[in-house]
Amino acid sequence: MKAFILRATGGEGFEHTALADVAPAPAPGPGEVRVAIKAAALNHLDLFVIRGLPGLPKALPHILGSDGAGEVESVGPGVTSVRPGERVLINPGISDYSCEYCLAGEHSLCLRYGILGEHHPGTLAQLLTVPSHNVLPVPALTPAVTWPEAAAFSLVTLTAWRMVVTRARVRAGEWVLVWGIGGGVSLTALRIAKLVGARVIATSSSDAKLARATELGADVTLNHRTQEVAKAVRQITGKRGVDVVVENVGAATWEESLRSLAKGGRIVTCGGTSGPKLVTDVRPLFWHQFTILGSTMGNAAEYREVVRRLGRGELRPIVDASYPFDRVREAFEHLDRGDQIGKVAVTV
Ligand SMILES: [Zn+2]
């Protein structure tokens, strides 16, 4: 089968990647399904894998891609939840469904947790074999969910849902600050915060992205290249600060995030695209009783819930661009430039 693979890590750009012929994904074993991928979507996680994460990927060449959607090609023994030909979304988080965390329903805390394209072969391939737990039918909508939309849905929607709803427990009327609104997680966090009735301040370095954020419901927008965010947040909220900051930038924004919080405020983070080491002054942390919350992907119940929301017409993915499979490297260059609003997809 054709797949987009990584032959070595640590390159300058994408010189170690290639569209190549590889052995087909294995036939599905008990409890597994094999999916004929119709589209995949790119995430910054893919760029981290390409540039090299400690100890990852475990074997080279490695098939890239965390997000994907397609038609069930075949099912293994005992699978009754889906049948061949069915259109499915793929949850990129692979759990063992047997450790203490899985048994408690917290699949993204699984002792053997892994993500497609990072710890397991990815979605940028014609075929992918995954546990049947990881696929759910694409909801019927009018107009129908396109393959690029279906591929763009899972990783960012699941991640943002857990951050905003489960971890930060954002409530109606609360103020939420979301950094870097062009990114998929941030854009989806904005939309989820609006769904639950919060007031959202969105930042970007691009006025075009801020205009789009306003269309998607942002109450206030800030250009973080030209404005001091914490100071502006104080003005907007009558000196009070925001209840919740949604973070995935890390080193470049962390101190400004802490300065933006109201007393008792919460920061929820799923990553640090600008750098992993954060400086936290412990004095405001304890005095104002802040809470710092980590969040990764989501559990099976959260995944079912976001797919149910999609079926109600909510949180339909925003696809900035879609490329054919033979131009997948151009798609990565597009993601890497960072000028997109929403997701970059690839049809397979
Ligand atoms: Zn587990």
Side-chain angles (χ1 to χ4, degrees):
M1 67 175 184
K2 287 255 184 290
F4 190 62
I5 60 166
L6 183 67
R7 293 199 166 107
T9 58
E12 289 290 303
F14 302 105
E15 68 270 31
H16 298 315
T17 63
L19 195 58
D21 282 306
V22 300
E32 291 182 332
V33 299
R34 187 160 65 178
V35 179
I37 299 289
K38 297 295 183 184
L42 309 187
N43 292 283
H44 274 93
L45 180 59
D46 304 314
L47 298 178
F48 294 137
V49 173
I50 289 169
R51 282 159 199 170
L53 291 166
L56 287 172
K58 282 184 185 144
L60 292 166
H62 169 73
I63 301 173
L64 293 160
S66 295
D67 262 328
E71 279 173 11
V72 175
E73 181 258 1
S74 54
V75 303
V79 174
T80 54
S81 54
V82 289
R83 60 186 69 173
E86 201 157 354
R87 285 164 51 98
V88 290
L89 302 161
I90 301 169
N91 177 349
I94 306 291
S95 310
D96 62 8
Y97 277 73
S98 63
C99 75
E100 64 167 303
Y101 298 100
C102 287
L103 295 177
E106 286 298 359
H107 305 94
S108 62
L109 289 174
C110 178
L111 294 173
R112 278 167 287 275
Y113 194 64
I115 298 174
L116 297 176
E118 187 181 357
H119 312 87
H120 299 276
T123 54
L124 283 161
Q126 289 175 309
L127 291 169
L128 175 69
T129 303
V130 290
S132 61
H133 293 298
N134 283 73
V135 299
L136 284 177
V138 179
L141 283 179
T142 308
V145 177
T146 66
W147 285 120
E149 285 175 332
F153 178 74
S154 295
L155 191 146
V156 296
T157 315
L158 182 60
T159 300
W161 185 269
R162 184 168 178 87
M163 289 176 83
V164 172
V165 176
T166 308
R167 300 291 284 144
R169 297 174 179 270
V170 172
R171 297 182 293 271
E174 287 193 313
W175 278 105
V176 178
L177 171 65
V178 183
W179 286 99
I181 209 65
V185 170
S186 299
L187 199 60
T188 312
L190 155 68
R191 299 169 74 198
I192 293 170
K194 290 310 298 178
L195 267 185
V196 302
R199 292 176 285 183
V200 178
I201 303 170
T203 90
S204 174
S205 59
S206 151
D207 288 332
K209 290 182 185 179
L210 293 176
R212 187 77 179 105
T214 301
E215 287 171 17
L216 291 167
D219 297 271
V220 186
T221 61
L222 297 174
N223 187 316
H224 59 237
R225 184 170 291 171
T226 58
Q227 288 170 280
E228 286 179 53
V229 169
K231 201 171 158 188
V233 163
R234 295 281 161 196
Q235 283 165 357
I236 294 159
T237 58
K239 296 188 183 166
R240 181 181 175 278
V242 294
D243 301 284
V244 172
V245 180
V246 176
E247 255 284 352
N248 56 37
V249 183
T253 53
W254 187 255
E255 290 177 271
E256 202 72 358
S257 292
L258 286 165
R259 277 198 292 273
S260 300
L261 279 180
K263 281 180 166 290
R266 297 97 81 193
I267 294 190
V268 61
T269 178
C270 69
T273 51
S274 67
K277 296 288 169 77
L278 311 175
V279 176
T280 303
D281 184 336
V282 74
R283 293 165 296 181
L285 176 63
F286 73 76
W287 187 251
H288 299 307
Q289 303 189 45
F290 297 151
T291 303
I292 297 172
L293 299 157
S295 194
T296 288
M297 304 290 284
N299 62 32
E302 288 160 336
Y303 191 61
R304 283 193 300 273
E305 177 62 14
V306 293
V307 173
R308 192 182 70 84
R309 295 285 181 147
L310 178 62
R312 282 171 30 176
E314 297 167 355
L315 305 175
R316 190 174 182 134
I318 297 168
V319 177
D320 183 274
S322 184
Y323 291 80
F325 204 19
D326 59 0
R327 289 168 58 200
V328 56
R329 197 180 288 192
E330 278 176 69
F332 271 103
E333 286 161 359
H334 185 159
L335 174 74
D336 204 18
R337 281 198 304 277
D339 55 10
Q340 68 277 5
I341 302 173
K343 303 293 290 177
V344 178
V346 174
T347 52
V348 176

